[in-house]
Amino acid sequence: MRTTVGIVGGGPAGLLLGRLLDNAGIDNVVLERRDRAYVEQRQRAGILEQSTADTLRAAGAGERMDREGLVHHGIELRFARGSHRIDFPALTGGRGVLVYAQTEVVKDLIALRLAEGGPLLFDAQVDAVDGVAGESPVIRYRHQGAERTLHCSYVVGCDGFHGVARQAVPAEVSTHYERAYPYSWLGILADAPPVYEELVYAHSERGFALASVRSPTVSRLYLQVPNGTDPADWSDERIWDELDARFALEADPGWRLARGPVRSKAVLPMRSHVTEPMRYGRLFLAGDAAHIVPPTGAKGLNLAAADVTVLARALIEQQETGSSGLLDAYSDTCLRRVWRAEHFSYLMTTTLHTDPAHSPFDTRLQLAQLARFTSSPHAAAELADNYTGLPLPR
Ligand code: RFL
Ligand code: PHB
């Protein structure tokens, strides 16, 4: 098989890139190692920045998102048993975010692709990407029991943090920047109505907690837990009790979350990682394949969408005019935004979590930072500007 752009990975980055290229008439093939049901049900992000929503809309993939997504105009920061709102539109000149789960974005993009787009192969495991330093790269993959090759003009690695595309870059030309955190998240999905109108990010001496939402009847909740935690050690009752304790407010001590059956539980490690550069020859890396952020800033999916928006524009320019200017600038253009989001995600994570190595002095510093976010319009605007998302690079 031969195509112009071979895309490794059918997560949000690969599927959105495929859609943007389909719309421009550039042929492309998406190879995804898992089956459709697995990809559609993988629980992950929930927050779309305005520019991500705009990109999906412009790509013709925003119809259900606009019907079912919930516009949020702020978040709540809870600390020292007090509650403080960050008002996004007031601080950013009108911007907000959309609560629309990654599972739904992925379902919408898959449905469009299968109805009217180029090839999308599930159960297609890529083993290697070869020849990216030359003119004719090849993707080697297994599908329906056979070993196959896909010849491409360009290869895009959208295969996430554990993908194989990055391995095609020689070690001496890439640099990895990394940080691990001494805590994880226990994420749950519960058949319980969300009780807060906006997301609540809570700092407490018992650890961080986050209340998010999936629908009027389904809550998405997270608890900070030690690395290596076994979800089986957390009964439903223990989870609800701990959430109540971490969200507790001095002004309303008897208040409780609405409880319901816990549908899924998983422990997620937290990591920051950047690979530079995001391009080697005819191979481009996008999304989690190139960078990871801890989820506290809600940035991962949005960075993935920004990368492929920049890349699609560059590939379209190359195909239409023969100019490789935007492709040559791809890595630098994306990395500027990536590092801003890395910093924001790090700041949100380290300000809100309880670090086992922290002294009371460190905790006081966290509380001073949180007080600053919620008392200074300048500090609040900095948070709101980053959370709602910086403009896409031009
Ligand atoms: P993905 O989603 O990991 O998709 C990669 C795809 O590549 C496939 N693949 C292969 N296919 C073929 N051959 C191979 N050899 C392959 N190896 C891998 C995989 O099966 C998969 O389908 O990466 P992508 O597309 O770059 O998307 C990135 C996002 O998924 C990720 O950044 C976000 O989920 C991060 N994230 C959040 N981001 C936000 O913007 N807002 C949020 O609110 C938010 N919350 C979160 C999050 C991530 C979380 N976890 C699980 C770490 C909350 C959580 C809990
Ligand atoms: C989610 O809804 O899953 C979610 C929201 C905000 C975050 C992380 C995850 O920061």
Side-chain angles (χ1 to χ4, degrees), residues 47 49-51 75 86 88 91-92 95-97 297-299 302-303 336-345 347-348 373 378-391:
I47 301 288
E49 294 174 1
Q50 196 142 321
S51 65
I75 55 168
I86 306 284
F88 292 154
L91 293 159
T92 62
R95 296 209 307 272
V97 294
K299 286 284 156 257
N302 293 296
L303 282 178
R336 277 192 291 276
R337 204 170 187 279
V338 165
W339 277 110
R340 174 86 296 282
E342 287 288 346
H343 179 262
F344 176 67
S345 304
L347 178 67
M348 289 288 279
F373 278 147
H378 304 289
E382 173 65 5
L383 192 162
D385 198 32
N386 279 281
Y387 195 96
T388 56
L390 303 174

Side-chain angles (χ1 to χ4, degrees), residues 13 32-33 42 44-46 102 126 159 268 288 298 300-302:
E32 166 56 48
R33 112 182 127 110
R42 195 164 36 196
R44 290 219 170 153
Q102 181 167 326
V126 172
D159 48 351
L268 325 154
D288 280 13
L301 170 60
N302 293 296

